[in-house]
């Protein structure tokens, strides 16, 4: 790849940071997190170990994982979210999600929680490959994203670069080296109208 092209890609990726916004706790997301953390742990069989929350917001999932006895770490690029996590005594770093493969050691984590982060990536396949690199052999991934063509029009959000169908995400997960094991859909009501999220449980293949 030409150096000029690499520089243009880096500039493009850095410009995407301009649309990052804070993620304060919300009733809808809080309820889903509290419901799905124990489901994820039950399906993965994890009773201890290390989990990384990629795009941890203000730490709701980190707190829930801690309640279940796991060592939970988070990354974010939002200064407000980072400050909120640190004020709660949570382990959190200011790291771009595309840099996790270099920031953390290979096979450092037993599980990765990637909830409502992949849609913010212009290059989600690369993100998923980096996530796989951090997982131990047989490690588990919880993956959740908003669906396209709902009343909330997630594809029109300035910071939503990748809003795809369930089959599109499943194909991307397989290309990244994951084996999807179960898919769930969440239907919910918002001020804009009906909305839908897709959750995928997956395991590191090979």
């Amino acid at each position: 790849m030409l150096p000029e092209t690499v520089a243009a890609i880096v500039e493009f990726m850095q410009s995407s940071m301009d649309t990052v916004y804070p993620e304060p706790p919300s009733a809808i997301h809080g309820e889903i997190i509290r419901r799905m953390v124990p489901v994820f742990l039950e399906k993965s069989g994890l009773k201890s170990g290390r989990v990384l929350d990629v795009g941890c917001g203000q730490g709701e999932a980190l707190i829930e994982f801690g309640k279940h006895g796991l060592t939970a770490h988070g990354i974010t690029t939002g200064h407000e979210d980072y400050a909120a996590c640190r004020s709660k005594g949570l382990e959190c770093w200011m790291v771009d999600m595309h840099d996790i493969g270099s920031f953390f050691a290979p096979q450092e984590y037993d599980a990765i929680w990637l909830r409502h982060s992949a849609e913010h990536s212009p290059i989600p396949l690369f993100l998923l490959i980096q996530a796989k690199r951090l997982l131990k052999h047989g490690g588990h991934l919880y993956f959740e994203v908003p669906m396209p063509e709902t009343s909330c029009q997630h594809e029109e959000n300035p910071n939503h670069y990748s809003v795809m169908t369930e089959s599109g995400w499943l194909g991307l997960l397989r290309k990244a080296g994951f084996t999807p094991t179960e898919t769930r859909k969440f239907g919910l009501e918002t001020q804009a109208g009906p909305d839908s999220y897709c959750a995928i449980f997956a395991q590191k293949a090979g």
Side-chain angles (χ1 to χ4, degrees), residues 37-49 70 110-111 138 140 201 203:
V37 164
V39 172
F40 176 52
L41 295 180
E42 180 182 359
K43 290 186 174 297
S44 62
L46 284 175
K47 300 187 186 309
S48 62
L70 276 79
D110 301 282
H140 294 267
F201 299 87
Q203 192 167 14

Side-chain angles (χ1 to χ4, degrees), residues 17 21 35 42 61 66 69 71 90 112 114-115 121 128 135 140-141 144 169 171 176 179 181 186:
M17 297 289 293
Y21 51 83
R35 187 192 341 159
E42 180 182 359
T71 299
L90 301 172
I112 289 179
L114 217 166
R115 182 181 183 276
S121 172
L128 291 170
L135 282 173
H140 294 267
L141 173 73
E144 185 184 317
W169 283 118
T179 300
T181 56
F186 302 118

